[in-house]
Amino acid sequence: MVDKDRRVQIQRNHTATHLLHAALHQVLGDHARQAGSLVAPDRLRFDFNHPEPMTREEILTVEALVNERILANYELNITQKPLQEAIEEGAMALFGEKYDAVVRTITIGEDETLSYELCGGTHVDETGDIGLFLITYESSIAAGVRRIEAVTGWRAYQIARERMNTLDEINQFLGTSPSEALPKIKNLTETLSDSQKEIEKLQTQRVASAFDQKLDDTEEIEGIPVILTILPGANMDALREMADKFRQHYQSGVALLASEQNGKPILVAAVTEDLVERGLHAGKLVGNVARVVGGGGGGRPTLAQAGGKDPSKISEALDSARFYIRENLRK
């Protein structure tokens, strides 16, 4: 027994595949030949030769062409004829496919032939039976081979309705009409970006103020000033900025600064030039320290950074810096 609904859905997707193939030729060129396909009840998948991603404009143009030919409601002309005759007439055959001496051809178009292919599959009687065609995805599957996924008929309506429902919800949330939604979203995004930059600026200022109070509160290890401190709320940029401030304030010294960002520890180490000559290295220092918090890092001899996984061990990590300095500082 044939499942009628399933068969009709496959017919829609199969005929739509022929229309898609023809539209790709028209938009991209004759090189866009079939390299594989899937015709299922709920979707169609079409692989074709093309050297680069399709632009949004190309995708929309192909989609529009297919729908235009669906709405034209062309009757499919299905005939049997000798293979050589069909090939000489320009019927499209798949490379590597084996055909019998007599083949089945599918022609779409009246005054102008829009699609002419050798095909033994099931099809709709008229293109209007397809209903609606929507491209849902375009991607690469191999070098020089692209893939389009699409839906037709009832499934296309369901997706269109789902997207319209989402747009309605967005409009309701924003208090706008559909034509005003995108400009308002762009405006809100710009406002949010500006606000985030202002917040980061204020956070950096707060971190700088807190760091200024700690600059003169250093300890001495082997006779050199060392600052090992946690700066809450600082991001990596702020830590680097404070490390530069330390080197401007001290002609000789070591700074190891830490913070927590997105639940993970971050670290920056700074070593003045004179101490690099005496065996210290900011990259090695921060790399050693980062292991305590379950991470790693490195960088230049004078400035380096690292990250980790366990913020609960930041204090322990800072303490370990004292051992590195004592072990590596040459007299």
Side-chain angles (χ1 to χ4, degrees), residues 200-201 203-204 206-208 211 229-245 247 255-270 282 286-287 289-290 293 295-300 303-309 314:
E200 290 174 1
K201 180 180 177 182
Q203 285 178 331
T204 299
R206 182 177 61 79
V207 169
F211 187 67
T229 189
I230 300 172
L231 297 173
N235 58 23
M236 192 65 81
D237 289 339
L239 290 184
R240 285 195 293 265
E241 190 174 325
M242 296 310 106
D244 288 339
K245 179 177 283 194
R247 289 187 295 175
L256 181 62
L257 313 177
S259 186
E260 184 178 335
Q261 190 172 32
N262 300 322
K264 295 183 178 181
I266 54 175
L267 302 149
V268 167
V286 82
V289 169
V293 291
R300 304 194 308 271
L303 185 67
Q305 66 186 50
K309 299 176 182 177
I314 290 179

Side-chain angles (χ1 to χ4, degrees), residues 259-328:
S259 186
E260 184 178 335
Q261 190 172 32
N262 300 322
K264 295 183 178 181
I266 54 175
L267 302 149
V268 167
V271 176
T272 54
E273 292 282 359
D274 65 309
L275 298 180
V276 171
E277 295 175 1
R278 293 178 59 187
L280 299 185
H281 190 290
K284 294 177 181 178
L285 167 59
V286 82
N288 278 300
V289 169
R291 284 199 287 270
V292 178
V293 291
R300 304 194 308 271
T302 56
L303 185 67
Q305 66 186 50
K309 299 176 182 177
D310 188 353
S312 68
K313 294 186 177 181
I314 290 179
S315 294
E316 182 183 340
L318 294 180
D319 290 340
S320 71
R322 297 184 177 91
F323 177 78
Y324 171 85
I325 293 171
R326 292 192 180 101
E327 286 293 309
N328 292 276

Side-chain angles (χ1 to χ4, degrees), residues 51-237:
E52 59 191 8
M54 292 177 66
T55 65
R56 175 172 170 75
E57 182 180 357
E58 288 171 339
I59 292 172
L60 293 177
T61 300
V62 167
E63 184 181 85
L65 278 172
V66 174
N67 281 294
E68 177 184 306
R69 289 158 184 178
I70 289 171
L71 291 172
N73 202 25
Y74 294 112
E75 183 177 351
L76 272 68
N77 181 15
I78 302 176
T79 61
Q80 303 274 349
K81 61 180 62 179
L83 173 61
Q84 192 58 38
E85 180 183 342
I87 295 298
E88 289 174 356
E89 290 175 349
M92 188 172 298
L94 299 182
F95 179 77
E97 193 82 6
K98 292 184 178 180
Y99 295 97
D100 293 333
V102 177
V103 293
R104 183 169 178 264
T105 67
I106 311 293
T107 306
I108 303 174
E110 294 174 0
D111 298 333
E112 175 189 4
T113 298
L114 303 174
S115 172
Y116 184 25
E117 297 194 30
L118 307 184
C119 181
T122 184
H123 286 271
V124 297
D125 294 327
E126 298 171 326
T127 59
D129 296 337
I130 296 170
L132 175 64
F133 173 84
L134 292 178
I135 293 176
T136 57
Y137 196 62
E138 192 273 348
S139 63
S140 170
I141 60 166
V145 182
R146 308 296 301 177
R147 169 171 291 174
I148 279 180
E149 296 184 20
V151 291
T152 64
W154 180 247
R155 182 58 187 144
Y157 166 77
Q158 288 177 315
I159 290 178
R161 184 68 264 173
E162 288 167 5
R163 292 179 181 178
M164 289 176 69
N165 288 343
T166 299
L167 180 58
D168 288 343
E169 290 175 9
I170 291 171
N171 291 329
Q172 186 175 3
F173 178 78
L174 296 175
T176 63
S177 65
S179 61
E180 296 170 337
L182 184 57
K184 186 159 186 177
I185 290 172
K186 287 181 177 179
N187 182 60
L188 288 172
T189 301
E190 290 172 1
T191 301
L192 178 60
S193 178
D194 292 341
S195 297
Q196 288 174 332
K197 289 177 183 177
E198 185 63 26
I199 290 171
E200 290 174 1
K201 180 180 177 182
L202 292 172
Q203 285 178 331
T204 299
Q205 290 175 350
R206 182 177 61 79
V207 169
S209 177
F211 187 67
D212 286 342
Q213 297 175 16
K214 297 180 179 183
L215 260 180
D216 295 321
D217 186 24
T218 59
E219 60 181 287
E220 281 199 0
I221 299 177
E222 302 295 327
I224 63 171
V226 175
I227 185 168
L228 309 172
T229 189
I230 300 172
L231 297 173
N235 58 23
M236 192 65 81
D237 289 339

